[in-house]
Amino acid sequence: MLLNHASIQTLHSFCLDLIRKYYYIVNVDPDFRLMDTIESTILRDEVIETLLEGEYAKSDNTPFFHLIESITDDRSDQNVIDIISRLYDFSRANPSPEKWLEQVTLLYKNDKLERIKDLPFYNLIHNDIRLSIERAIEFLQQGLDLTAISGGPESYRENFLEDITEIDKLRSKLNSDWSELQTAFQQVSFGRLKPLKNKEEVDERLLKQAKKKRDQAKKVIQDTLSDWFKRAEQDYIADLEKMKNDVETLINLVQKFSKAFFQEKEKSGVLDFNDLEHLALAILSDNGRPSHVAQELRNYYKEILIDEYQDTNLVQESILQQIVLPDEAKGNLFMVGDVKQSIYRFRLAEPTLFMEKYERYQLDGKDTVFEFEFS
């Protein structure tokens, strides 16, 4: 009988209703219109182009021209446009976009840096290397297991044992100086496979699988060597020093774009889905604490039931945390989701270090690392 009084809606619809009711708190036009994705893309492209044209028009804009020369070619500025857009999107996935952008520049302000291990994000590098070593050992262990199966290549058993011992030495060097760890990786070698005994008794399928596992282990070690240890430690540190000004200039461009993009949307009386989330959070949060509106909603909602929870991002999670009861034992939040469909997003103490193939995160200072591989 009371079902029609329940607020059954998407989270964006909830945000939309909240903004229309409390528009005066965030100073937006109550008659705003929600943009679709195509309209938003066209507008943001126009704003970025206008921003870059303005930067080119400045005669004494040396930092900007250095950035352009560093990351674009002679044909177009598409690289810098893409990077600005990606950084903007990533920052908007955080509850405090401006704070996140400012933290990025802090990662490059290391005037007294002498060792890679002194980097503020070295734990991410360390975890990447550690996981690579463990992955290689896991592949080798799987190959070793295949040699013990009936019909398996038993002659390769000694090879796998030697390889595991070799890679395990790397694990023992993880906490050594960078140069020592680098030398250990450079000295890794995989010996020739032993000749097969009783070849006619060996299952060809198991033989191929064993070779594949060893090749996978080799590739992991070779990729790690290529990613991290091809150059001297001081060269990497010098690169970071050279990048500092370019990163600061890039972040400044993202901040200018973010401001100009929102101003253009205000002029047109439109908002996008990102705006809905951040404006709703601004209404519900007062310097990080639940606002009076959030307190009213806490008293209003008896239960908060979230479906498809695996698709919520960090901003949406922050919105929910403002309106649920804070005591988890007596809380009123119930979530349903499918971990197999999860889009993993985590609250980071510092910005993520991006790599070509993987992303690593350390959560809350704990040695808990998540790995993501992209196709």
Side-chain angles (χ1 to χ4, degrees):
M1 290 174 63
L2 297 176
L3 186 62
N4 63 318
H5 294 286
S7 300
I8 303 175
Q9 55 191 160
T10 66
L11 196 54
H12 282 123
S13 294
F14 167 78
C15 293
L16 184 63
D17 291 345
L18 196 67
I19 296 167
R20 291 205 185 280
K21 184 175 182 179
Y22 297 101
Y23 64 91
Y24 54 89
I25 295 179
V26 287
N27 195 28
V28 296
D29 185 345
D31 294 325
F32 69 85
R33 176 176 57 83
L34 190 60
M35 285 194 298
D36 60 32
T37 303
I38 296 176
E39 184 181 2
S40 177
T41 301
I42 293 173
L43 181 59
R44 69 190 288 168
D45 287 346
E46 291 175 353
V47 172
I48 290 181
E49 289 177 9
T50 302
L51 173 65
L52 293 181
E53 287 174 3
E55 295 296 326
Y56 275 116
K58 299 176 183 178
S59 58
D60 58 344
N61 204 357
T62 303
F64 171 76
F65 292 123
H66 188 274
L67 172 67
I68 294 298
E69 291 175 1
S70 298
I71 62 177
T72 63
D73 52 35
D74 296 333
R75 298 178 181 178
S76 73
D77 292 335
Q78 193 58 47
N79 282 349
V80 72
I81 292 173
D82 291 342
I83 293 175
I84 290 173
S85 185
R86 289 172 61 190
L87 275 172
Y88 170 78
D89 287 337
F90 199 87
S91 69
R92 298 296 291 179
N94 288 265
S96 302
E98 284 297 318
K99 183 179 179 181
W100 185 88
L101 288 170
E102 290 168 2
Q103 286 179 325
V104 173
T105 61
L106 294 177
L107 293 177
Y108 293 83
K109 293 182 178 179
N110 301 294
D111 299 331
K112 298 181 180 179
L113 183 67
E114 296 180 356
R115 306 182 306 162
I116 287 178
K117 294 183 75 170
D118 295 331
L119 287 168
F121 49 83
Y122 178 72
N123 64 305
L124 299 171
I125 298 173
H126 180 275
N127 284 327
D128 181 78
I129 297 170
R130 180 178 63 82
L131 284 172
S132 296
I133 292 172
E134 291 176 356
R135 191 181 307 110
I137 291 176
E138 183 179 349
F139 284 138
L140 293 171
Q141 185 60 54
Q142 290 170 358
L144 179 63
D145 293 341
L146 289 170
T147 66
I149 297 175
S150 176
E154 186 179 356
S155 300
Y156 293 169
R157 177 177 175 79
E158 187 177 343
N159 286 110
F160 281 109
L161 289 173
E162 290 173 354
D163 294 340
I164 291 173
T165 300
E166 184 85 359
I167 305 305
D168 203 43
K169 291 178 183 177
L170 295 177
R171 185 157 50 186
S172 67
K173 298 286 186 181
L174 270 173
N175 294 321
S176 305
D177 289 338
W178 183 263
S179 58
E180 190 175 345
L181 182 58
Q182 182 180 37
T183 300
F185 264 92
Q186 291 171 341
Q187 292 177 344
V188 170
S189 63
F190 290 82
R192 291 176 61 87
L193 288 170
K194 308 293 182 185
L196 288 173
K197 298 177 182 178
N198 302 321
K199 188 174 181 180
E200 64 281 356
E201 297 178 6
V202 176
D203 186 320
E204 188 67 25
R205 181 177 58 86
L206 295 177
L207 178 64
K208 289 182 179 179
Q209 287 180 3
K211 288 181 177 180
K212 181 180 179 181
K213 292 300 178 184
R214 194 167 191 254
D215 289 341
Q216 287 175 316
K218 285 182 181 180
K219 188 176 187 307
V220 169
I221 297 302
Q222 289 166 357
D223 287 348
T224 305
L225 176 63
S226 177
D227 288 343
W228 297 112
F229 300 111
K230 281 296 186 181
R231 303 169 63 220
E233 181 175 16
Q234 293 306 315
D235 290 340
Y236 287 122
I237 294 173
D239 281 348
L240 284 174
E241 182 63 29
K242 292 176 184 177
M243 291 169 65
K244 181 173 65 175
N245 291 335
D246 281 343
V247 170
E248 290 177 351
T249 303
L250 181 60
I251 294 300
N252 183 253
L253 287 174
V254 177
Q255 291 170 327
K256 288 181 178 179
F257 164 71
S258 180
K259 183 177 180 180
F261 188 34
F262 189 75
Q263 287 175 343
E264 286 300 315
K265 287 183 285 188
E266 279 190 314
K267 288 180 184 178
S268 303
V270 295
L271 296 175
D272 59 24
F273 287 105
N274 277 329
D275 295 325
L276 293 184
E277 295 174 358
H278 283 278
L279 290 172
L281 184 57
I283 292 170
L284 296 172
S285 179
D286 184 7
N287 294 321
R289 297 181 178 182
S291 66
H292 72 280
V293 176
Q295 295 289 355
E296 289 177 4
L297 291 176
R298 283 186 177 185
N299 295 327
Y300 178 75
Y301 291 122
K302 182 177 180 180
E303 291 180 349
I304 298 174
L305 315 176
I306 308 297
D307 192 18
E308 303 293 348
Y309 183 72
Q310 77 276 358
D311 293 334
T312 57
N313 64 28
L314 189 54
V315 183
Q316 295 167 355
E317 175 67 17
S318 299
I319 290 171
L320 293 173
Q321 291 305 314
Q322 302 304 315
I323 61 175
V324 300
L325 296 178
D327 186 351
E328 187 172 337
K330 301 178 181 178
N332 61 340
L333 177 64
F334 183 83
M335 299 156 287
V336 175
D338 184 354
V339 68
K340 294 180 181 179
Q341 301 179 34
S342 291
I343 301 172
Y344 292 99
R345 298 179 177 93
F346 300 103
R347 187 187 307 275
L348 303 181
E350 56 192 26
T352 305
L353 174 68
F354 284 96
M355 284 169 274
E356 184 178 353
K357 296 181 180 178
Y358 302 99
E359 293 181 21
R360 314 282 189 212
Y361 303 108
Q362 187 173 27
L363 308 182
D364 301 328
K366 298 177 183 177
D367 191 23
T368 304
V369 182
F370 293 82
E371 176 185 327
F372 304 80
E373 185 169 0
F374 301 97
S375 59

